[in-house]
Amino acid sequence: MSEAPKDAPFQAVQIDALVILKIARHCSSTFPTVATGSLVGMDQNGTLEITNTFAFPTIDTSAADSHQNDASNLAAAAPRAKSNIAYQAEMIRHLKEVNVDANNVGWYTSATMGNFVTMPFIENQFYYQKDNDKTVALVYDTSRSSQGTLALKAYRLTNLFMSVYKEGKFTTESLQKSKLSFRDILQEYPLAVHNSHLLTSFLHQLPSPPAATEPKEPTSLSDLNNDRIKAPLYPSIDNLDLSIDPFLEKTCDLLLESIESHYVDLNNFQFYQRQLAREQTKITQWQAKRKAENAQRTLAKQPLLPEDEWQRLFKLPTEPSRLEGMLNAKQVEQYSKQVDGFTANISSKMFAVRENLLPQ
């Protein structure tokens, strides 16, 4: 797990187990639609403690326009909706009345197969982080957690990306000047699960099964007839299964889609470069022609023509934003990490039986 930078407002995130259960229940009930909610807690000694959470209300899509009637997109933008902002303020006011932690410390969202690096995610986190630096975004992978492995991670926008995003310029020149890359968009923070002392005491008091005693050796034939030796359980051979994990196949498909999206964005930028080169060539030719005309008019003692008229005659194409391409590259990196994690066990199995896989 990556460590937090030294200049970060907090160094780690601590979340109560009850909060994880609430997030898991909400995300599982709305799957495959994106689920979002608010997080409350407090910052103490460099640790952001998340002690409670509540879900945002479901947005009614029946009154939406036809081109916006997408439940997933509307749910992804729920943290910035005016109705949910008022609902969050009302809930925090009620929490203060019952004397519990009522400081907003971020928000959470659900994801499928690690697909969360999108524009709504960046906009939501920027909305929270611009006013309160001590906020975090929790990403709960519903599909991965359904297989018995808790997939919950904490992210925050880096200070460098926040400064560039405030300016709103993601051109090649601005990115080179700020030295911003796709690796500098998000920063993952260590996440620790916390239980109350009362719950910990209860878990320690749960009765455990008695330990199996060593079998006594028989002393006579009658002992064998009276107490026959039980056959041992057969060993599990599931670990020897060489089938590919279906999550690995799906992740590879999503990885290919992200790579295709990255190439589409790259082709659009190359098209802009070709258009810019053509227009600059036309401008150069026009300026050379105008200089020749002014040279002739100087010999004829006639008034010179303006040489900056090309700004009105020619219009340079606008450079497309590089932010979408950076997000695609970040998503490709996220999928690559997942593929690396999935193939760790499969590669060891393939290595163990490689002699049987090689052609004879």
Side-chain angles (χ1 to χ4, degrees), residues 61-85:
T61 59
S62 59
D65 296 337
S66 59
H67 64 281
Q68 295 179 346
N69 195 7
D70 189 347
S72 298
N73 293 338
L74 292 175
R80 291 176 287 111
K82 292 183 178 180
S83 58
N84 287 338
I85 294 175

PDB file of all heavy atoms in Angstrom, residues 61-85:
ATOM      1  N   THR A  61     -35.211   9.833 -12.090  1.00  0.00           N
ATOM      2  CA  THR A  61     -34.834  10.102 -13.480  1.00  0.00           C
ATOM      3  C   THR A  61     -36.035  10.223 -14.401  1.00  0.00           C
ATOM      4  O   THR A  61     -35.878  10.408 -15.596  1.00  0.00           O
ATOM      5  CB  THR A  61     -33.929   8.972 -14.003  1.00  0.00           C
ATOM      6  OG1 THR A  61     -34.642   7.728 -13.920  1.00  0.00           O
ATOM      7  CG2 THR A  61     -32.659   8.880 -13.179  1.00  0.00           C
ATOM      8  N   SER A  62     -37.261  10.120 -13.868  1.00  0.00           N
ATOM      9  CA  SER A  62     -38.437  10.169 -14.740  1.00  0.00           C
ATOM     10  C   SER A  62     -38.659  11.559 -15.316  1.00  0.00           C
ATOM     11  O   SER A  62     -39.147  11.717 -16.431  1.00  0.00           O
ATOM     12  CB  SER A  62     -39.675   9.732 -13.956  1.00  0.00           C
ATOM     13  OG  SER A  62     -39.865  10.576 -12.828  1.00  0.00           O
ATOM     14  N   ALA A  63     -38.267  12.590 -14.548  1.00  0.00           N
ATOM     15  CA  ALA A  63     -38.468  13.961 -15.021  1.00  0.00           C
ATOM     16  C   ALA A  63     -37.285  14.506 -15.776  1.00  0.00           C
ATOM     17  O   ALA A  63     -37.281  15.652 -16.203  1.00  0.00           O
ATOM     18  CB  ALA A  63     -38.775  14.879 -13.833  1.00  0.00           C
ATOM     19  N   ALA A  64     -36.261  13.715 -15.964  1.00  0.00           N
ATOM     20  CA  ALA A  64     -35.060  14.184 -16.655  1.00  0.00           C
ATOM     21  C   ALA A  64     -35.274  14.198 -18.152  1.00  0.00           C
ATOM     22  O   ALA A  64     -36.179  13.565 -18.693  1.00  0.00           O
ATOM     23  CB  ALA A  64     -33.871  13.297 -16.304  1.00  0.00           C
ATOM     24  N   ASP A  65     -34.428  14.950 -18.848  1.00  0.00           N
ATOM     25  CA  ASP A  65     -34.501  14.988 -20.303  1.00  0.00           C
ATOM     26  C   ASP A  65     -34.113  13.652 -20.890  1.00  0.00           C
ATOM     27  O   ASP A  65     -33.448  12.835 -20.262  1.00  0.00           O
ATOM     28  CB  ASP A  65     -33.586  16.092 -20.839  1.00  0.00           C
ATOM     29  CG  ASP A  65     -34.041  17.464 -20.386  1.00  0.00           C
ATOM     30  OD1 ASP A  65     -35.244  17.603 -20.051  1.00  0.00           O
ATOM     31  OD2 ASP A  65     -33.195  18.373 -20.339  1.00  0.00           O
ATOM     32  N   SER A  66     -34.498  13.437 -22.141  1.00  0.00           N
ATOM     33  CA  SER A  66     -34.239  12.143 -22.770  1.00  0.00           C
ATOM     34  C   SER A  66     -32.757  11.890 -22.937  1.00  0.00           C
ATOM     35  O   SER A  66     -32.290  10.776 -22.752  1.00  0.00           O
ATOM     36  CB  SER A  66     -34.938  12.081 -24.138  1.00  0.00           C
ATOM     37  OG  SER A  66     -34.464  13.140 -24.973  1.00  0.00           O
ATOM     38  N   HIS A  67     -31.976  12.941 -23.263  1.00  0.00           N
ATOM     39  CA  HIS A  67     -30.552  12.732 -23.465  1.00  0.00           C
ATOM     40  C   HIS A  67     -29.785  12.654 -22.147  1.00  0.00           C
ATOM     41  O   HIS A  67     -28.609  12.336 -22.141  1.00  0.00           O
ATOM     42  CB  HIS A  67     -29.971  13.866 -24.333  1.00  0.00           C
ATOM     43  CG  HIS A  67     -30.047  15.224 -23.680  1.00  0.00           C
ATOM     44  ND1 HIS A  67     -31.203  15.957 -23.663  1.00  0.00           N
ATOM     45  CD2 HIS A  67     -29.112  15.953 -23.012  1.00  0.00           C
ATOM     46  CE1 HIS A  67     -30.997  17.102 -23.032  1.00  0.00           C
ATOM     47  NE2 HIS A  67     -29.734  17.123 -22.617  1.00  0.00           N
ATOM     48  N   GLN A  68     -30.460  12.952 -21.032  1.00  0.00           N
ATOM     49  CA  GLN A  68     -29.814  12.859 -19.734  1.00  0.00           C
ATOM     50  C   GLN A  68     -30.424  11.766 -18.876  1.00  0.00           C
ATOM     51  O   GLN A  68     -30.096  11.644 -17.700  1.00  0.00           O
ATOM     52  CB  GLN A  68     -29.920  14.197 -18.986  1.00  0.00           C
ATOM     53  CG  GLN A  68     -29.157  15.332 -19.667  1.00  0.00           C
ATOM     54  CD  GLN A  68     -29.313  16.633 -18.912  1.00  0.00           C
ATOM     55  OE1 GLN A  68     -30.168  16.761 -18.061  1.00  0.00           O
ATOM     56  NE2 GLN A  68     -28.480  17.603 -19.224  1.00  0.00           N
ATOM     57  N   ASN A  69     -31.289  10.973 -19.452  1.00  0.00           N
ATOM     58  CA  ASN A  69     -31.989   9.950 -18.680  1.00  0.00           C
ATOM     59  C   ASN A  69     -31.098   8.733 -18.507  1.00  0.00           C
ATOM     60  O   ASN A  69     -31.375   7.652 -19.008  1.00  0.00           O
ATOM     61  CB  ASN A  69     -33.290   9.579 -19.404  1.00  0.00           C
ATOM     62  CG  ASN A  69     -34.229   8.803 -18.501  1.00  0.00           C
ATOM     63  OD1 ASN A  69     -33.970   8.650 -17.319  1.00  0.00           O
ATOM     64  ND2 ASN A  69     -35.313   8.320 -19.079  1.00  0.00           N
ATOM     65  N   ASP A  70     -30.019   8.925 -17.809  1.00  0.00           N
ATOM     66  CA  ASP A  70     -29.079   7.847 -17.519  1.00  0.00           C
ATOM     67  C   ASP A  70     -28.883   7.807 -16.019  1.00  0.00           C
ATOM     68  O   ASP A  70     -28.312   8.714 -15.425  1.00  0.00           O
ATOM     69  CB  ASP A  70     -27.757   8.095 -18.240  1.00  0.00           C
ATOM     70  CG  ASP A  70     -26.820   6.891 -18.151  1.00  0.00           C
ATOM     71  OD1 ASP A  70     -27.077   5.985 -17.356  1.00  0.00           O
ATOM     72  OD2 ASP A  70     -25.825   6.895 -18.886  1.00  0.00           O
ATOM     73  N   ALA A  71     -29.371   6.740 -15.405  1.00  0.00           N
ATOM     74  CA  ALA A  71     -29.332   6.664 -13.947  1.00  0.00           C
ATOM     75  C   ALA A  71     -27.912   6.656 -13.412  1.00  0.00           C
ATOM     76  O   ALA A  71     -27.623   7.248 -12.371  1.00  0.00           O
ATOM     77  CB  ALA A  71     -30.084   5.418 -13.483  1.00  0.00           C
ATOM     78  N   SER A  72     -26.999   6.006 -14.128  1.00  0.00           N
ATOM     79  CA  SER A  72     -25.627   5.922 -13.644  1.00  0.00           C
ATOM     80  C   SER A  72     -24.955   7.282 -13.634  1.00  0.00           C
ATOM     81  O   SER A  72     -24.284   7.654 -12.662  1.00  0.00           O
ATOM     82  CB  SER A  72     -24.833   4.940 -14.510  1.00  0.00           C
ATOM     83  OG  SER A  72     -25.376   3.644 -14.421  1.00  0.00           O
ATOM     84  N   ASN A  73     -25.128   8.045 -14.714  1.00  0.00           N
ATOM     85  CA  ASN A  73     -24.501   9.369 -14.767  1.00  0.00           C
ATOM     86  C   ASN A  73     -25.077  10.314 -13.719  1.00  0.00           C
ATOM     87  O   ASN A  73     -24.353  11.095 -13.093  1.00  0.00           O
ATOM     88  CB  ASN A  73     -24.665   9.967 -16.157  1.00  0.00           C
ATOM     89  CG  ASN A  73     -23.887   9.199 -17.208  1.00  0.00           C
ATOM     90  OD1 ASN A  73     -22.927   8.494 -16.890  1.00  0.00           O
ATOM     91  ND2 ASN A  73     -24.305   9.298 -18.456  1.00  0.00           N
ATOM     92  N   LEU A  74     -26.397  10.232 -13.513  1.00  0.00           N
ATOM     93  CA  LEU A  74     -27.010  11.095 -12.519  1.00  0.00           C
ATOM     94  C   LEU A  74     -26.588  10.697 -11.112  1.00  0.00           C
ATOM     95  O   LEU A  74     -26.355  11.557 -10.255  1.00  0.00           O
ATOM     96  CB  LEU A  74     -28.534  11.032 -12.650  1.00  0.00           C
ATOM     97  CG  LEU A  74     -29.125  11.654 -13.919  1.00  0.00           C
ATOM     98  CD1 LEU A  74     -30.616  11.412 -13.972  1.00  0.00           C
ATOM     99  CD2 LEU A  74     -28.829  13.141 -13.995  1.00  0.00           C
ATOM    100  N   ALA A  75     -26.476   9.406 -10.863  1.00  0.00           N
ATOM    101  CA  ALA A  75     -26.045   8.954  -9.541  1.00  0.00           C
ATOM    102  C   ALA A  75     -24.596   9.314  -9.278  1.00  0.00           C
ATOM    103  O   ALA A  75     -24.211   9.620  -8.143  1.00  0.00           O
ATOM    104  CB  ALA A  75     -26.241   7.445  -9.416  1.00  0.00           C
ATOM    105  N   ALA A  76     -23.759   9.290 -10.319  1.00  0.00           N
ATOM    106  CA  ALA A  76     -22.347   9.645 -10.147  1.00  0.00           C
ATOM    107  C   ALA A  76     -22.189  11.111  -9.783  1.00  0.00           C
ATOM    108  O   ALA A  76     -21.247  11.479  -9.059  1.00  0.00           O
ATOM    109  CB  ALA A  76     -21.566   9.322 -11.418  1.00  0.00           C
ATOM    110  N   ALA A  77     -23.088  11.965 -10.270  1.00  0.00           N
ATOM    111  CA  ALA A  77     -23.018  13.393  -9.968  1.00  0.00           C
ATOM    112  C   ALA A  77     -23.856  13.770  -8.758  1.00  0.00           C
ATOM    113  O   ALA A  77     -24.021  14.958  -8.471  1.00  0.00           O
ATOM    114  CB  ALA A  77     -23.475  14.209 -11.180  1.00  0.00           C
ATOM    115  N   ALA A  78     -24.362  12.787  -8.024  1.00  0.00           N
ATOM    116  CA  ALA A  78     -25.240  13.066  -6.883  1.00  0.00           C
ATOM    117  C   ALA A  78     -24.575  13.906  -5.796  1.00  0.00           C
ATOM    118  O   ALA A  78     -25.236  14.773  -5.204  1.00  0.00           O
ATOM    119  CB  ALA A  78     -25.757  11.759  -6.296  1.00  0.00           C
ATOM    120  N   PRO A  79     -23.278  13.714  -5.469  1.00  0.00           N
ATOM    121  CA  PRO A  79     -22.689  14.529  -4.391  1.00  0.00           C
ATOM    122  C   PRO A  79     -22.698  16.020  -4.667  1.00  0.00           C
ATOM    123  O   PRO A  79     -22.617  16.819  -3.724  1.00  0.00           O
ATOM    124  CB  PRO A  79     -21.257  13.990  -4.289  1.00  0.00           C
ATOM    125  CG  PRO A  79     -21.335  12.598  -4.789  1.00  0.00           C
ATOM    126  CD  PRO A  79     -22.371  12.633  -5.877  1.00  0.00           C
ATOM    127  N   ARG A  80     -22.810  16.430  -5.938  1.00  0.00           N
ATOM    128  CA  ARG A  80     -22.801  17.857  -6.269  1.00  0.00           C
ATOM    129  C   ARG A  80     -24.186  18.396  -6.577  1.00  0.00           C
ATOM    130  O   ARG A  80     -24.322  19.573  -6.921  1.00  0.00           O
ATOM    131  CB  ARG A  80     -21.881  18.094  -7.474  1.00  0.00           C
ATOM    132  CG  ARG A  80     -20.421  17.881  -7.175  1.00  0.00           C
ATOM    133  CD  ARG A  80     -19.559  18.021  -8.410  1.00  0.00           C
ATOM    134  NE  ARG A  80     -19.693  16.885  -9.309  1.00  0.00           N
ATOM    135  CZ  ARG A  80     -20.266  16.923 -10.498  1.00  0.00           C
ATOM    136  NH1 ARG A  80     -20.752  18.051 -10.961  1.00  0.00           N
ATOM    137  NH2 ARG A  80     -20.328  15.838 -11.257  1.00  0.00           N
ATOM    138  N   ALA A  81     -25.205  17.553  -6.480  1.00  0.00           N
ATOM    139  CA  ALA A  81     -26.564  18.003  -6.745  1.00  0.00           C
ATOM    140  C   ALA A  81     -27.042  18.936  -5.628  1.00  0.00           C
ATOM    141  O   ALA A  81     -26.720  18.741  -4.451  1.00  0.00           O
ATOM    142  CB  ALA A  81     -27.497  16.808  -6.878  1.00  0.00           C
ATOM    143  N   LYS A  82     -27.810  19.958  -5.988  1.00  0.00           N
ATOM    144  CA  LYS A  82     -28.256  20.945  -5.008  1.00  0.00           C
ATOM    145  C   LYS A  82     -29.135  20.300  -3.940  1.00  0.00           C
ATOM    146  O   LYS A  82     -29.034  20.633  -2.752  1.00  0.00           O
ATOM    147  CB  LYS A  82     -29.013  22.076  -5.711  1.00  0.00           C
ATOM    148  CG  LYS A  82     -28.131  22.939  -6.607  1.00  0.00           C
ATOM    149  CD  LYS A  82     -28.924  24.084  -7.215  1.00  0.00           C
ATOM    150  CE  LYS A  82     -28.025  24.971  -8.081  1.00  0.00           C
ATOM    151  NZ  LYS A  82     -28.785  26.094  -8.693  1.00  0.00           N
ATOM    152  N   SER A  83     -30.008  19.387  -4.357  1.00  0.00           N
ATOM    153  CA  SER A  83     -30.890  18.745  -3.388  1.00  0.00           C
ATOM    154  C   SER A  83     -30.099  17.909  -2.382  1.00  0.00           C
ATOM    155  O   SER A  83     -30.413  17.892  -1.180  1.00  0.00           O
ATOM    156  CB  SER A  83     -31.904  17.864  -4.118  1.00  0.00           C
ATOM    157  OG  SER A  83     -31.242  16.879  -4.903  1.00  0.00           O
ATOM    158  N   ASN A  84     -29.058  17.229  -2.863  1.00  0.00           N
ATOM    159  CA  ASN A  84     -28.253  16.405  -1.963  1.00  0.00           C
ATOM    160  C   ASN A  84     -27.357  17.255  -1.063  1.00  0.00           C
ATOM    161  O   ASN A  84     -27.027  16.843   0.057  1.00  0.00           O
ATOM    162  CB  ASN A  84     -27.406  15.427  -2.756  1.00  0.00           C
ATOM    163  CG  ASN A  84     -28.240  14.298  -3.346  1.00  0.00           C
ATOM    164  OD1 ASN A  84     -29.332  14.011  -2.859  1.00  0.00           O
ATOM    165  ND2 ASN A  84     -27.743  13.668  -4.396  1.00  0.00           N
ATOM    166  N   ILE A  85     -26.934  18.419  -1.558  1.00  0.00           N
ATOM    167  CA  ILE A  85     -26.153  19.328  -0.698  1.00  0.00           C
ATOM    168  C   ILE A  85     -27.003  19.798   0.479  1.00  0.00           C
ATOM    169  O   ILE A  85     -26.551  19.824   1.632  1.00  0.00           O
ATOM    170  CB  ILE A  85     -25.638  20.517  -1.524  1.00  0.00           C
ATOM    171  CG1 ILE A  85     -24.619  20.041  -2.571  1.00  0.00           C
ATOM    172  CG2 ILE A  85     -25.008  21.564  -0.615  1.00  0.00           C
ATOM    173  CD1 ILE A  85     -24.147  21.138  -3.495  1.00  0.00           C
TER     174      ILE A  85
END
